[in-house]
Amino acid sequence: MLTIGPLTEPDRDEWEGLTRSFHAHWAGRPGRPAIEVDDDGYERTWRRLVNGEQIRGVCARLDGTMVGIAHYLFHASVWGAGRCYLAELFVDPQVRRQGVATAMIEWVAKDGDEHGAPRLYWNTEIDADARALYDKLAVYRGYIVYNYSWPATTAVT
């Protein structure tokens, strides 16, 4: 049985394991600098997620075991209702293609709508395996994302 719900205090260790797997998955990919997150960084992000004010986190459990995580946030929009940005989505490779990612995206979209952010969006790589799913759930509008980094930026926060 698949369940989706907000991250809570007892989820800390399982969440960190999946988050470290997420970081390892993306490390060294073309155009992506390696992300070094120390233990304090994981703790700081965890606190922000369970606080639920700036960023939110949900997990997917399959038969009681955490198999997926999603991190997202709400923000204002210049010309309309607020927006919901899905910053990170990760499903354990062992359980992919079983509806976990779809259920998590739908859960986040519903939460966004309930909090005045009826538009959900996210970024992915052009050749990401997950695009087959994303193309079923959402509309690709052809935008390109640019990331500007200040030269003095060295820490991940």
Side-chain angles (χ1 to χ4, degrees):
M1 182 168 97
L2 179 66
T3 59
I4 311 292
L7 290 167
T8 61
E9 287 295 337
D11 297 326
R12 174 65 167 86
D13 291 341
E14 287 178 290
W15 166 84
E16 186 170 330
L18 282 175
T19 303
R20 286 183 184 274
S21 294
F22 168 81
H23 288 143
H25 172 80
W26 290 107
R29 304 243 335 192
R32 285 201 175 242
I35 295 177
E36 297 289 331
V37 181
D38 61 16
D39 291 342
D40 289 340
Y42 283 104
E43 182 60 27
R44 191 171 38 257
T45 298
W46 174 252
R47 288 285 132 231
R48 291 174 64 209
L49 285 165
V50 294
N51 181 316
E53 290 180 20
Q54 290 182 316
I55 61 173
R56 292 173 178 244
V58 295
C59 66
R61 291 186 174 281
L62 193 56
D63 298 325
T65 300
M66 188 183 296
V67 296
I69 53 171
H71 304 144
Y72 61 102
L73 58 93
F74 303 130
H75 65 85
S77 173
V78 174
W79 298 108
R83 303 288 189 255
C84 182
Y85 174 61
L86 179 60
E88 297 170 343
L89 174 68
F90 183 75
V91 175
D92 183 322
Q94 304 262 354
V95 299
R96 289 184 181 162
R97 293 176 177 71
Q98 294 184 37
V100 176
T102 299
M104 293 179 72
I105 290 169
E106 290 172 348
W107 197 100
V108 171
K110 183 177 181 221
D111 193 39
D113 190 42
E114 290 172 357
H115 287 88
R119 180 176 165 210
L120 170 63
Y121 71 102
W122 59 90
N123 302 318
T124 195
E125 292 182 332
I126 196 139
D127 63 348
D129 292 339
R131 285 206 55 201
L133 169 64
Y134 299 160
D135 287 343
K136 290 178 187 175
L137 295 176
V139 177
Y140 170 63
R141 299 194 187 272
Y143 286 96
I144 299 170
V145 175
Y146 290 91
N147 293 292
Y148 177 86
S149 296
W150 289 260
T153 301
T154 57
V156 175
T157 57

